[in-house]
Amino acid sequence: PQVVERCVAAAGYSVGEFAALVFAGALGFAEALYAVKVRAEAMQKASEAVPSGMLSVVGRREANYKFACLEARKHCELLGIENPVCTVSNYLFPDSRVIAGHLQALEFLQENARKYYFKRTKMLPVSGAFHTRLMEPAVEPLAEVLKSIEIQKPLLCVYSNVDGKKYMHSKHIQKLLVKQVVSPVLWEQTMHSVYERKQGTEFPYTYEVGPGNQLGAILKQCNLKAWKQYKHVDALEDEEAAET
């Protein structure tokens, strides 16, 4: 309880941003869950319209992700794909990105990984190119739902995936949650915003709540000193313990 009372900031990765806003009192739990359902169904529908996906990339220092994506788009144009999509959709930590777009573009990047100084590439087990303009069909359904939901000003700082900055007011939340669907997740930039402090100032305790500790692993790469105060809370384990 003391941790919750003393919490000063929250952030959520992609759909986790809804959880962060519920925690901060900006969204009601039931309404947020309904918005997430509509968002998921609309994004799934958008995914089915175009063969697309997401590619996790760890690059060398020399890697130029924008140039690689440009060449992958040109490759798609040669294949006859009109207006192809291939872009960075998630900034994870230094030298690590997720690239999303047409499947042919991602296959091209995997085949030419050495040319672009990619150390590792791995296709993610997802059905579409989330956080790119291929998700545009999902924008309107989510916008409509968010208009019908009461959004409060958060009780504590919540950072947006869209620009890595704090949400200012309810209209700001409504606007950026919609924009987030077609914008890259600036998680690395968000980590820098959250932990920016004067030299010598202690870092706060950080809790990752939910299944897995991937965000903790990313924090370790972004800010080792902040990660030393990190703890993982597996909500599912707590529930199972309560049931036994």
Side-chain angles (χ1 to χ4, degrees), residues 18-237:
F18 284 86
L21 287 162
V22 169
F23 175 77
L27 293 174
F29 177 72
E31 290 94 332
L33 208 55
Y34 178 62
V36 165
K37 178 179 182 285
V38 170
R39 178 184 182 274
E41 288 169 354
M43 287 171 85
Q44 182 58 35
K45 201 172 176 185
S47 299
E48 288 162 7
V50 179
S52 58
M54 301 180 86
L55 181 73
S56 174
V57 176
V58 176
R60 299 186 190 283
R61 285 281 165 88
E62 310 93 305
N64 185 330
Y65 302 95
K66 280 187 180 176
F67 178 67
C69 289
L70 174 68
E71 294 223 318
R73 289 196 297 273
K74 284 182 180 172
H75 168 75
C76 286
E77 284 169 358
L78 292 173
L79 296 177
I81 297 168
E82 282 184 34
N83 210 5
V85 171
C86 182
T87 185
V88 174
S89 62
N90 305 70
Y91 291 81
L92 302 179
F93 54 85
D95 305 320
S96 179
R97 309 275 187 276
V98 175
I99 294 173
H102 282 82
L103 276 182
Q104 296 90 333
L106 303 182
E107 286 161 2
F108 171 83
L109 290 178
Q110 280 197 296
E111 286 162 17
N112 294 278
R114 287 183 70 182
K115 177 185 174 183
Y116 300 116
Y117 300 102
F118 294 167
K119 285 194 285 189
R120 273 203 320 275
T121 62
K122 183 186 176 188
M123 286 296 291
L124 297 180
V126 296
S127 58
F130 304 137
H131 303 291
T132 72
R133 63 178 168 80
L134 287 177
M135 290 295 115
E136 271 171 9
V139 164
E140 197 53 41
L142 180 59
E144 285 302 309
V145 170
L146 290 173
K147 276 180 199 166
S148 68
I149 290 173
E150 193 179 345
I151 303 174
Q152 308 283 349
K153 188 179 177 185
L155 300 171
L156 51 116
C157 295
V158 180
Y159 289 80
S160 166
N161 287 182
V162 173
D163 58 11
K165 295 175 182 172
K166 299 169 190 173
Y167 278 117
M168 304 308 290
H169 47 75
S170 56
K171 282 274 182 239
H172 194 209
I173 293 169
Q174 185 182 321
K175 182 182 168 187
L176 291 191
L177 279 181
V178 174
K179 197 176 177 185
Q180 191 227 58
V181 171
V182 289
S183 302
V185 173
L186 304 186
W187 193 254
E188 181 185 340
Q189 294 85 333
T190 300
M191 292 296 92
H192 294 317
S193 294
V194 171
Y195 297 104
E196 188 181 11
R197 59 220 331 103
K198 286 178 185 168
Q199 196 80 30
T201 310
E202 280 191 24
F203 284 97
Y205 284 99
T206 298
Y207 296 88
E208 179 177 359
V209 183
N213 54 4
Q214 293 92 332
L215 297 182
I218 292 172
L219 176 59
K220 188 177 183 181
Q221 297 290 337
C222 288
N223 191 322
L224 186 60
K225 284 183 179 175
W227 174 78
K228 286 177 179 173
Q229 303 277 44
Y230 161 88
K231 290 181 182 178
H232 175 240
V233 180
D234 192 328
L236 296 175
E237 272 182 17

